[in-house]
């Protein structure tokens, strides 16, 4: 857990915000709205996007070509957010998302990153030994499946479109979304029917 902010840091932030507001760059209302949107974001949004992609070929194409537009189509404001790339898992390729420098994460569609995602151990080991990390999560992939590690950055965020599990034919979007977890959306797990 992070230490609470120091009083001098809070005072500096207050001065910065006052200066930005005085210059007309941003208002307190805009900041409050952005914070509220970030606070209400959750992995359920990403799960709904995946479920829609599994049932709607046109949405799937949009999601894979322009994740930001696909999120906005689901009612998620992506204003000011970096582009969102969506990586499709297949029978021969599995994606694992990591931010090697800090904790870049598509918060608008997944909410706040979990502590393990921000940890040095995950950030370094996911790149060096991705199969070992996945195995620790209980995900053993056959050698025939390529594991591709993708670095989420301040300039470009990533999310995984997992494969739809067998046995889910005929399920509606709500039921499909219920099996897509945050862990599936960054590639440390796969959905199970």
């Amino acid at each position: 857990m992070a230490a609470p902010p120091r009083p001098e840091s809070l005072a500096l932030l207050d001065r910065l915000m006052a200066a930005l507001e005085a210059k007309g760059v941003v208002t307190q209302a805009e900041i409050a709205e952005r914070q509220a949107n970030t606070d209400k974001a959750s992995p359920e949004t990403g799960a709904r996007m995946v479920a829609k992609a599994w049932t709607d070929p046109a949405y799937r194409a949009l999601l894979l070509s322009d994740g930001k537009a696909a999120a906005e189509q689901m009612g998620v404001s992506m204003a000011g957010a970096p582009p969102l790339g969506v990586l499709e898992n297949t029978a021969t390729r599995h994606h694992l998302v990591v931010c090697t420098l800090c904790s870049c994460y598509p918060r608008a569609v997944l909410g706040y990153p979990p502590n393990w995602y921000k940890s040095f151990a995950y950030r370094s080991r996911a790149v060096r030994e991705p199969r070992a990390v996945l195995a620790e999560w209980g995900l053993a992939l056959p050698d025939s499946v390529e594991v591709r590690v993708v670095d989420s950055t301040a300039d470009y965020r990533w999310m995984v479109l997992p494969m739809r599990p067998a046995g889910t034919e005929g399920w509606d979007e709500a039921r499909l979304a219920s099996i897509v977890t945050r862990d599936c959306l960054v590639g440390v797990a796969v959905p199970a029917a």
Side-chain angles (χ1 to χ4, degrees), residues 13-42:
L13 179 60
D14 287 342
R15 289 195 308 272
L16 173 63
M17 294 310 306
L20 291 172
E21 192 167 17
K23 292 193 177 281
V25 175
V26 69
T27 67
Q28 287 294 331
E30 290 169 331
I31 293 167
E33 179 184 2
R34 184 70 178 168
Q35 185 172 11
N37 286 341
T38 299
D39 288 345
K40 75 178 180 182
S42 76

Side-chain angles (χ1 to χ4, degrees), residues 98-160:
V98 64
C99 176
T100 56
L101 295 177
C102 55
S103 61
C104 294
Y105 191 77
R107 292 174 189 218
V109 295
L110 298 184
Y112 289 104
N115 288 335
W116 61 262
Y117 183 87
K118 300 182 285 185
S119 73
F120 178 75
Y122 175 74
R123 292 183 294 119
S124 59
R125 289 190 59 232
V127 174
R128 286 191 332 264
E129 47 188 2
R131 285 185 182 276
V133 169
L134 292 174
E136 289 170 13
W137 280 88
L139 181 56
L141 297 170
D143 290 339
S144 60
V145 175
E146 171 196 4
V147 177
R148 183 172 172 229
V149 179
V150 181
D151 196 5
S152 204
T153 68
D155 297 325
Y156 211 92
R157 305 298 164 85
W158 295 100
M159 181 179 100
V160 172

Side-chain angles (χ1 to χ4, degrees), residues 41-57:
S42 76
E44 286 79 22
T45 302
R48 286 188 305 109
M49 292 168 67
V50 166
K52 185 169 180 68
W54 284 345
T55 60
D56 180 342

Side-chain angles (χ1 to χ4, degrees), residues 43 47 110 162 177-186 189-191:
L110 298 184
S178 73
I179 63 171
V180 180
T181 66
R182 172 203 61 214
D183 297 348
C184 297
L185 299 169
V186 294
V190 295

